[in-house]
Amino acid sequence: MICAFGRWPGILCLTLALSGCRTAPRLPAVNLAEPGWKVRSGQSVWTSREGATELAGELLVATHPDGRSLAQFTKTPLPLLVTQTSTNGWRIEFIAERRVFAGRGEPPVRWLWLHVAPCLAGSKPPEPLRFETLSEGAWRLENRATGETLAGYLAP
């Protein structure tokens, strides 16, 4: 039985609901051989939250003058996570867990890793994150709300 208004209001509501749910656009693959990329690598120590065990690994950070960035944390022989940012989007992939999160706009402070490359390029992180340069090539990024920290050294 069709109600007095017919089926169009239901179809219209469904169409509006589905059109409002758009996923973040997939960021294009990064080719570090392209001109403009500044690539640095070194060592880092990550603590996921206050009191957690430290995890040491290799860190690769790449920035491009157009606002794109990439960070990769590797515990030899496998990468554990990869982040990518652009002027209008972000993406973080936890490889071992097979989890990917992505979005539009500014990267959320929830994932400290999304702010590593921009901080190293000179951007100030959003609160409650704090970035400090310790000595030549050494630095530390901390989420003061969660106790998560990432400290490292990158060769120039």
Side-chain angles (χ1 to χ4, degrees), residues 64-131:
H64 195 278
D66 67 6
R68 292 181 290 161
S69 70
L70 174 110
Q72 179 176 311
F73 182 64
T74 303
K75 184 73 174 168
T76 304
L78 301 171
L80 295 179
L81 67 87
V82 177
T83 68
Q84 191 177 349
T85 62
S86 69
T87 56
N88 62 357
W90 56 270
R91 174 183 166 92
I92 184 167
E93 181 177 0
F94 296 92
I95 297 166
E97 299 170 7
R98 297 181 187 207
R99 293 188 311 154
V100 176
F101 300 92
R104 298 173 193 269
E106 294 293 318
V109 296
R110 175 182 177 187
W111 290 298
L112 184 81
W113 287 98
L114 291 165
H115 299 276
V116 172
C119 285
L120 289 168
S123 295
K124 183 178 180 196
E127 288 293 331
L129 301 183
R130 180 178 62 185
F131 179 79

Side-chain angles (χ1 to χ4, degrees), residues 18-72:
L18 292 176
S19 67
C21 297
R22 294 188 329 179
T23 59
R26 187 157 181 89
L27 294 174
V30 172
N31 178 358
L32 298 178
E34 286 178 358
W37 282 101
K38 179 180 179 182
V39 180
R40 299 171 64 193
S41 62
Q43 301 296 310
S44 62
V45 177
W46 175 42
T47 306
S48 62
R49 64 186 176 283
E50 192 171 352
T53 303
E54 294 180 339
L55 183 62
E58 298 173 24
L59 180 64
L60 177 128
V61 177
T63 55
H64 195 278
D66 67 6
R68 292 181 290 161
S69 70
L70 174 110
Q72 179 176 311

